[in-house]
């Protein structure tokens, strides 16, 4: 059993649900013997909620490490933020905490447990049971989607590890196999299973969350027509998915709608005024105590301890008449802070009370992703019509197709718009990877120019634990 803890960080036979006690008002799962788990509707709710709790734990720091700090969005903040600075400066080593996949695999294992056992539970509503199963498939897909984007080839588990065996030690599976045969197939199953009527949740995966992940995956596979068709599905219900048209509401979405939402167990009730958020990582200190805060204040405010400031590279892309500029950044003590989620100067005493949620997907993200897909399909005018929706809100004019000499020119225009619109939302580094532009963008900034440097190292502890693992070659043996 000790070896299981080394690999996953916890024993697969007993997992904690302390993150959900208030949410579910029941005893933590860790106090329930495994043979008594997955018996009732309450067990299913608890088990699926644990997937989200483990995802929150995984992404609390890695949201920025994996999606922001390696990109041209950020420059080092305080000298005391050494761990963050090493990532920003492309000095990651095999001992860095962001190289660990422990929590991510704990989440994947929990999804595997749910996928195995939910079909065996007798629940009053088959539609509800299917919806929970669909969420488990979607979250497993999302977990592996992060894994392959961060490390490339990774070990593949599609069955839960419930007891120690040598099967825990696996070689890495080709990322393209995982992308097509696990991630995409899981999402197709989730699409069939989701309750499209009653699941109106944004803190969990709804059908819109499934489509958002699926569209993103199709873009990575360069299946632009399928990405376009998938995003089209999201425009069917304006009562749930709609672009904010005013910059004032855009601002409120970040500083009010994402901040301090209570937990709830009524997925049929939409708590959000905005219809632009698709899926967010929810933080609630009443729900999970001292680990229920996010790092939005701690890492981006106060010159003494802020981890990062906005870089010159992105600041230069903001035009002076862009209405988002004043709402995205402010100059404070020798640095342009990311102020998008904060809305003012925050006392450092509030660092550990921050409950600002992290957006994983927003509708504006999907609109710009669709614009890119259509541009790559040769539909430049349609692509720019989509971009115009985002730029109109920002008070900007939009170029016409006559302004571009090549597909690469218009793609760069759309990517610049994505960079500005989605800064701080964990998307920019993955956009540079997906479009294979990471070398040309990052080499002048931090010297990234060698194949393999785009991947993160695998933490040395995983290599030590599993004799079948090999390190990503850029980081040696």
């Amino acid at each position: 059993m000790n070896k299981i803890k080394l690999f996953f960080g916890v024993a697969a036979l007993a997992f904690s649900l302390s993150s959900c006690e208030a949410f579910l008002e029941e005893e933590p799962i860790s106090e329930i013997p495994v043979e008594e788990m997955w018996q009732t509707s309450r067990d299913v709710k608890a088990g699926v909620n644990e997937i989200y709790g483990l995802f929150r734990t995984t992404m609390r720091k890695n949201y920025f490490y994996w999606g922001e700090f390696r990109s041209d969005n950020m420059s080092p903040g305080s000298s005391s933020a050494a761990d963050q600075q090493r990532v920003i400066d492309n000095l990651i080593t095999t001992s860095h905490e962001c190289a660990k996949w422990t929590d991510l695999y704990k989440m994947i294992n929990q999804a595997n447990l749910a996928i195995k056992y939910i079909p065996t539970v007798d629940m009053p509503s088959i539609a509800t049971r299917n919806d929970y199963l669909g969420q488990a498939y979607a979250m497993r897909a999302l977990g592996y989607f992060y894994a392959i984007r961060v490390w490339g080839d990774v070990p593949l588990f599609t069955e839960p590890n419930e007891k120690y065996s040598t099967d825990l030690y696996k070689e890495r599976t080709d990322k393209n196999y995982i992308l097509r045969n696990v991630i995409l197939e899981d999402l197709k199953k989730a699409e069939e299973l989701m309750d499209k009527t009653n699941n109106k949740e944004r803190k969990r995966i709804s059908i819109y969350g499934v489509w958002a992940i699926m569209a993103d995956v199709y873009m990575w596979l360069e299946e632009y027509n399928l990405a376009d068709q998938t995003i089209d599905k999201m425009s069917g219900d304006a009562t749930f998915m709609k672009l904010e048209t005013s910059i004032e509401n855009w601002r409120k979405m970040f500083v009010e709608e994402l901040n301090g939402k209570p937990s709830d167990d009524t997925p049929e009730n939409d708590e959000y005024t905005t219809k632009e958020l698709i899926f967010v990582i929810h933080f609630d200190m009443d729900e999970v105590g001292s680990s229920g805060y996010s790092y939005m204040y701690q890492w981006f405010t106060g010159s003494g301890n802020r981890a990062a400031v906005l870089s010159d590279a992105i600041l230069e892309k903001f035009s002076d008449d862009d209405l988002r500029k004043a709402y995205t950044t402010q100059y404070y003590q020798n640095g342009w802070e990311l102020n998008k989620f904060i809305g003012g100067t925050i006392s450092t005493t509030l660092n550990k009370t921050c409950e600002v949620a992290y957006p994983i997907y927003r509708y504006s993200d999907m609109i710009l992703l669709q614009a890119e897909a259509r541009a790559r399909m040769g539909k430049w005018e349609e692509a720019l019509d989509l971009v115009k929706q985002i730029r109109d809100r920002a008070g900007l004019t939009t170029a016409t197709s006559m302004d571009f000499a090549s597909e690469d020119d218009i793609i760069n225009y759309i990517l610049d718009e994505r960079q500005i619109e989605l800064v701080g939302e964990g998307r920019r580094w993955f956009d540079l990877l997906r479009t294979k532009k990471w070398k040309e963008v990052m080499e002048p900034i931090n010297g990234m120019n060698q194949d393999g440097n785009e991947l993160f190292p695998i933490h040395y502890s995983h290599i030590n634990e599993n004799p079948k693992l090999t390190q990503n070659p850029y980081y040696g043996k």
Side-chain angles (χ1 to χ4, degrees):
M1 188 64 70
N2 211 21
K3 294 181 180 179
I4 297 180
K5 290 183 179 181
L6 282 173
F7 191 80
F8 288 105
V10 291
L13 295 179
F15 54 94
S16 169
L17 195 64
S18 59
S19 62
C20 312
E21 290 179 71
F23 183 87
L24 294 163
E25 297 181 350
E26 65 181 33
E27 293 299 314
I29 282 183
S30 58
E31 297 178 10
I32 304 173
V34 69
E35 63 272 13
E36 296 179 16
M37 183 56 193
W38 305 106
Q39 301 296 312
T40 69
S41 297
R42 288 165 64 86
D43 295 344
V44 170
K45 292 178 183 178
V48 171
N49 196 56
E50 176 67 357
I51 300 172
Y52 293 102
L54 291 167
F55 184 58
R56 175 176 54 229
T57 301
T58 300
M59 299 302 291
R60 194 162 169 235
K61 293 181 179 181
N62 290 325
Y63 183 82
F64 304 107
Y65 278 136
W66 294 345
E68 287 289 332
F69 289 158
R70 296 199 82 186
S71 78
D72 55 336
N73 280 349
M74 298 296 174
S75 292
S78 168
S79 58
S80 64
D83 284 347
Q84 294 80 26
Q85 186 168 335
R86 284 163 57 196
V87 179
I88 293 169
D89 289 340
N90 191 32
L91 298 172
I92 313 173
T93 67
T94 62
S95 63
H96 199 288
E97 63 178 323
C98 68
K100 285 186 177 180
W101 60 38
T102 306
D103 288 330
L104 185 61
Y105 270 101
K106 285 159 67 175
M107 187 201 86
I108 290 169
N109 193 59
Q110 183 63 21
N112 283 337
L113 284 165
I115 290 167
K116 177 178 178 179
Y117 287 110
I118 287 176
T120 69
V121 180
D122 185 15
M123 294 180 63
S125 168
I126 294 176
T128 300
R129 184 179 66 185
N130 286 346
D131 187 73
Y132 281 121
L133 183 58
Q135 290 180 52
Y137 274 114
M139 289 302 291
R140 183 170 75 176
L142 185 59
Y144 276 121
F145 193 30
Y146 272 103
I148 65 164
R149 289 181 292 176
V150 174
W151 293 284
D153 301 345
V154 294
L156 175 62
F157 297 85
T158 56
E159 295 291 334
N161 289 293
E162 302 176 82
K163 60 183 178 180
Y164 172 70
S165 78
T166 55
D167 291 340
L168 280 175
Y169 305 112
K170 291 193 175 186
E171 297 176 348
R172 300 167 72 180
T173 297
D174 180 80
K175 63 182 179 181
N176 293 311
Y177 176 87
I178 295 174
L179 197 57
R180 287 193 178 274
N181 295 284
V182 179
I183 296 172
L184 193 55
E185 291 304 310
D186 277 359
L187 292 168
K188 290 176 180 178
K189 291 174 185 174
E191 184 179 27
E192 294 176 2
L193 290 163
M194 299 299 296
D195 187 335
K196 300 173 180 62
T197 302
N198 294 314
N199 184 340
K200 301 292 186 182
E201 186 60 88
R202 301 176 198 270
K203 299 171 194 167
R204 299 174 180 243
I205 293 287
S206 67
I207 186 60
Y208 289 90
V210 173
W211 287 331
I213 305 167
M214 187 179 289
D216 203 359
V217 169
Y218 280 134
M219 291 297 289
W220 277 78
L221 291 170
E222 299 182 0
E223 305 243 3
Y224 302 120
N225 186 53
L226 291 174
D228 181 37
Q229 292 175 24
T230 302
I231 296 170
D232 262 347
K233 296 177 183 178
M234 304 178 76
S235 60
D237 183 1
T239 64
F240 186 77
M241 190 56 50
K242 185 179 179 182
L243 188 72
E244 295 290 356
T245 56
S246 75
I247 196 66
E248 291 78 17
N249 287 339
W250 182 87
R251 175 60 161 168
K252 286 174 65 177
M253 175 170 52
F254 295 107
V255 300
E256 295 181 22
E257 287 283 295
L258 286 174
N259 197 353
K261 288 287 185 184
S263 60
D264 76 284
D265 59 356
T266 53
E268 68 275 8
N269 295 332
D270 183 7
E271 300 177 282
Y272 292 85
T273 302
T274 181
K275 307 305 175 189
E276 190 166 326
L277 300 171
I278 298 174
F279 177 46
V280 304
I281 300 175
H282 175 236
F283 292 91
D284 187 334
M285 295 188 72
D286 289 337
E287 184 179 306
V288 291
S290 61
S291 61
Y293 72 91
S294 65
Y295 279 86
M296 205 67 80
Y297 294 171
Q298 189 164 330
W299 279 4
F300 297 102
T301 63
S303 62
N305 64 349
R306 64 189 176 201
V309 293
L310 290 181
S311 69
D312 291 341
I314 188 170
L315 290 169
E316 289 169 0
K317 291 183 179 180
F318 275 103
S319 61
D320 290 337
D321 53 350
D322 191 329
L323 298 176
R324 293 168 296 190
K325 184 176 183 180
Y327 288 154
T328 299
T329 186
Q330 71 172 7
Y331 191 78
Y332 180 72
Q333 294 187 357
N334 303 313
W336 287 94
E337 291 186 341
L338 176 67
N339 197 241
K340 180 177 183 178
F341 300 88
I342 298 163
T345 301
I346 301 296
S347 167
T348 54
T349 61
L350 296 176
N351 282 347
K352 293 188 177 181
T353 62
C354 173
E355 294 180 326
V356 175
Y358 299 165
I360 298 296
Y361 289 106
R362 283 196 294 125
Y363 193 32
S364 56
D365 178 354
M366 293 295 104
I367 288 172
L368 291 171
L369 209 60
Q370 187 173 37
E372 183 186 337
R374 290 189 178 177
R376 294 188 185 277
M377 294 161 63
K379 301 177 180 180
W380 290 12
E381 291 290 353
E382 292 182 20
L384 292 169
D385 284 343
L386 291 166
V387 175
K388 187 176 184 298
Q389 296 180 50
I390 309 302
R391 289 180 64 85
D392 281 353
R393 180 171 64 186
L396 303 171
T397 58
T398 303
T400 69
S401 60
M402 299 298 292
D403 296 316
F404 301 99
S406 68
E407 179 182 293
D408 202 47
D409 287 343
I410 191 170
I411 293 299
N412 284 334
Y413 180 75
I414 295 168
L415 289 175
D416 284 348
E417 195 61 36
R418 283 182 60 80
Q419 182 179 14
I420 293 168
E421 173 68 18
L422 302 173
V423 61
E425 298 183 49
R427 299 294 279 156
R428 175 60 175 175
W429 173 246
F430 294 135
D431 275 352
L432 293 178
L433 278 185
R434 177 175 56 79
T435 57
K436 302 177 179 63
K437 293 182 178 292
W438 59 273
K439 282 185 186 179
E440 68 178 80
V441 171
M442 298 310 300
E443 182 176 9
I445 297 172
N446 63 15
M448 295 184 73
N449 62 11
Q450 295 184 44
D451 289 341
N453 193 186
E454 76 277 14
L455 300 175
F456 280 66
I458 299 173
H459 197 270
Y460 75 90
S461 63
H462 302 324
I463 302 290
N464 290 343
E465 292 156 9
N466 182 356
K468 295 182 179 180
L469 282 181
T470 56
Q471 183 59 266
N472 280 323
Y474 177 83
Y475 301 94
K477 297 182 179 179

